[in-house]
Amino acid sequence: MALDHEQGTGAPCRKCKENCEGFELHFWRKTCRNCKCAQEEHGILLSTEGGRKVGKLLDDAKYINLIAKLKSDPISIYKPKVMVSRKPVPKKKNDSINTVAYEWTPSVQNQALSTQYMQMLPKEKQPVSGSEGAQYRKKQLAKQLPAQDQDPSKCHELSLKEVKEMRQFVKKYKSEALGVGKVKLLSEMNAQRYKMHNPAGIRNTTAVLGSKGKSKEFKKTQYSCYNCKHPMKEGDPAIYAERAGYSKLWHPACFTCSVCGEILVDMIYFWKNGKLYCGRHYCDSEKPRCAGCDELIFSDEYTQAERKNWHVKHFCCFDCNKVLAGKLYVMINNRPVCKLCYMKKHAVVCQGCHNAIDPEEQRVTHTIFSWHASTACFICSCCSKCLIGKKFMPVEGMVFCSMVCKNMMS
């Protein structure tokens, strides 16, 4: 099974900027060959691809009656609702109206409620078309809902057994954990609760009397946000997750993943043991994830190194792809590199002999400068006295044994 290597080729990296020559997909890492950053840093998730991915995720899942039923197309496409909100402005001669277009809004019939929901999100995370918030949403779609967690065809060289196991895994989480949040006003929630307690529709009159002849009135529930625990205001929109039950509500900005803390993109959540998860971190709680290819591991054998999990064939040098099992490696920016590549590209240079320092050799480091920990290298820059285990005076890459030697070189 192959990855799509054409999409996004040449796209600039928002993180590295001009230091990256443009996106070029590594053949299995899902990172850029040039700058080593992830695909989402290059913003290459197209709107159609995002919709296709979300549509495939929600297809055949329970508890998705909160959005329109997906059509039975060969490939389901989820089309987020785009809303244009009108902002009232002081009346002028031209009497113009400002509009705000959102790339996604919650699926509600009341546009005012949808606008209210958006305004309760942090400004930098509101998906206004062409804004920082729209870019944030696209990045979170890629990060929170990895295509390789849903579709075996997006994975690299799975065996038939692994494909079968993955499909069963996806079917299971769609049935047991996946859902989409719903936006409602607290007054609606109280109305629903009233109907549950009074199915016959009897009004609170003398028809129902207490011990002292007073009518038993239905008491409104005072809801608190399940995340921040602060009270919910009657006129504000609240989010509920059907899998969590109607007693749990969230502020729009509090409907977040319990692991990464990010707002759940398009309100797509996974519910497990009383906690909300984004797709990525729910899957991480169920299966090990390879730190090399960013795919879930369905094989019986895998390796663990640096407190991470790896496919055996993917625990390899990040520069040359040489397999590192049983071999010496050095971690550079949390990525394993073989000794040869380390010496060529990453090794620190000794200030004494000006040669690269082997990772197996002892060294002395002060600020940004390093020396071989030998009598030939870590010596006074003036009199060549060995300084190992002794006090020294550092000056711009040089070291001195005394003030006398320092003054002689100044």
Side-chain angles (χ1 to χ4, degrees):
M1 298 184 182
L3 304 174
D4 185 357
H5 284 69
E6 298 299 324
Q7 183 179 310
T9 299
C13 180
R14 295 193 182 94
K15 191 174 181 180
C16 300
K17 301 189 183 299
E18 65 276 0
N19 293 326
C20 176
E21 298 176 6
F23 184 76
E24 183 183 351
L25 183 64
H26 185 277
F27 67 100
W28 54 261
R29 288 191 192 277
K30 303 172 188 64
T31 58
C32 175
R33 282 180 180 271
N34 294 319
C35 67
K36 307 295 192 292
C37 289
Q39 295 181 72
E40 56 264 26
E41 297 295 347
H42 292 261
I44 61 173
L45 180 71
L46 304 177
S47 58
T48 52
E49 186 210 353
R52 193 177 297 269
K53 179 171 70 172
V54 174
K56 188 174 181 65
L57 173 67
L58 298 178
D59 203 12
D60 297 326
K62 291 184 179 180
Y63 293 98
I64 59 165
N65 56 320
L66 311 176
I67 62 173
K69 180 66 178 175
L70 295 168
K71 295 180 180 179
S72 56
D73 296 330
I75 300 178
S76 300
I77 300 180
Y78 166 73
K79 297 179 180 179
K81 181 181 176 184
V82 178
M83 180 185 75
V84 177
S85 173
R86 295 190 174 189
K87 282 187 173 181
V89 294
K91 289 189 176 181
K92 299 178 182 179
K93 291 182 180 179
N94 58 6
D95 197 26
S96 61
I97 297 176
N98 289 340
T99 60
V100 178
Y102 294 98
E103 291 195 355
W104 171 87
T105 61
S107 182
V108 293
Q109 293 181 344
N110 185 346
Q111 182 170 315
L113 177 60
S114 193
T115 302
Q116 204 177 355
Y117 163 85
M118 286 297 179
Q119 292 172 347
M120 291 187 71
L121 297 178
K123 189 173 182 180
E124 69 276 10
K125 296 183 179 180
Q126 296 175 11
V128 177
S129 297
S131 71
E132 179 187 351
Q135 292 299 331
Y136 168 80
R137 174 180 172 265
K138 288 180 181 178
K139 184 176 178 179
Q140 292 305 312
L141 275 170
K143 191 73 175 176
Q144 295 185 25
L145 304 171
Q148 67 270 18
D149 287 5
Q150 312 166 26
D151 187 353
S153 69
K154 301 297 183 182
C155 299
H156 180 68
E157 296 182 346
L158 292 182
S159 67
L160 291 177
K161 180 183 176 183
E162 289 170 327
V163 169
K164 182 179 179 181
E165 188 176 343
M166 180 176 182
R167 284 176 176 160
Q168 291 173 342
F169 173 73
V170 173
K171 184 177 180 180
K172 184 173 182 287
Y173 74 55
K174 284 185 177 184
S175 174
E176 297 180 359
L178 176 63
V180 181
K182 174 82 172 182
V183 180
K184 277 184 175 283
L185 291 171
L186 287 185
S187 55
E188 294 180 70
M189 301 298 292
N190 276 315
Q192 282 185 334
R193 185 168 171 268
Y194 175 76
K195 287 181 181 179
M196 291 173 63
H197 285 78
N198 189 15
I202 300 173
R203 296 187 177 182
N204 288 324
T205 63
T206 52
V208 181
L209 299 177
S211 58
K212 296 184 179 180
K214 295 181 180 180
S215 61
K216 290 183 179 178
E217 294 184 359
F218 177 79
K219 293 183 180 179
K220 292 182 180 179
T221 300
Q222 177 58 58
Y223 291 99
S224 294
C225 175
Y226 189 69
N227 186 348
C228 71
K229 310 304 179 186
H230 292 163
M232 312 283 287
K233 295 180 181 179
E234 183 73 17
D236 287 347
I239 302 176
Y240 82 87
E242 195 167 349
R243 289 192 184 274
Y246 289 89
S247 63
K248 298 177 181 64
L249 296 176
W250 289 262
H251 292 117
C254 293
F255 198 61
T256 58
C257 172
S258 59
V259 176
C260 63
E262 295 289 353
I263 293 173
L264 293 167
V265 64
D266 293 7
M267 297 196 298
I268 297 170
Y269 71 88
F270 290 72
W271 182 254
K272 177 183 174 182
N273 297 333
K275 293 182 179 180
L276 289 172
Y277 293 86
C278 66
R280 170 178 291 275
H281 291 114
Y282 170 81
C283 291
D284 286 352
S285 74
E286 294 285 314
K287 294 285 183 182
R289 185 183 296 276
C290 177
C293 66
D294 198 38
E295 294 175 15
L296 300 174
I297 299 174
F298 292 96
S299 59
D300 295 330
E301 293 184 359
Y302 63 95
T303 188
Q304 291 182 317
E306 304 297 327
R307 298 182 180 180
K308 297 178 181 179
N309 302 303
W310 312 75
H311 288 112
V312 175
K313 62 184 178 183
H314 289 165
F315 184 57
C316 55
C317 175
F318 211 83
D319 288 344
C320 70
N321 295 318
K322 179 181 178 181
V323 176
L324 297 173
K327 296 177 180 167
L328 180 69
Y329 65 90
V330 181
M331 294 300 289
I332 303 294
N333 297 325
N334 293 319
R335 294 162 174 166
V337 175
C338 71
K339 181 178 176 179
L340 185 61
C341 287
Y342 173 82
M343 293 298 290
K344 284 182 179 179
K345 302 177 182 180
H346 309 285
V348 295
V349 175
C350 174
Q351 290 295 113
C353 66
H354 303 293
N355 293 321
I357 301 177
D358 190 290
E360 294 182 277
E361 291 181 306
Q362 289 187 328
R363 64 182 176 184
V364 177
T365 299
H366 180 77
T367 62
I368 62 172
F369 303 107
S370 297
W371 295 261
H372 285 103
S374 68
T375 56
C377 292
F378 192 54
I379 57 177
C380 176
S381 299
C382 178
C383 68
S384 299
K385 178 182 178 181
C386 179
L387 297 176
I388 295 175
K390 298 178 181 178
K391 292 182 179 181
F392 62 92
M393 301 178 65
V395 179
E396 297 180 354
M398 297 186 291
V399 285
F400 299 98
C401 63
S402 65
M403 184 62 75
V404 174
C405 283
K406 175 180 176 297
N407 291 336
M408 289 178 65
M409 293 293 289
S410 60

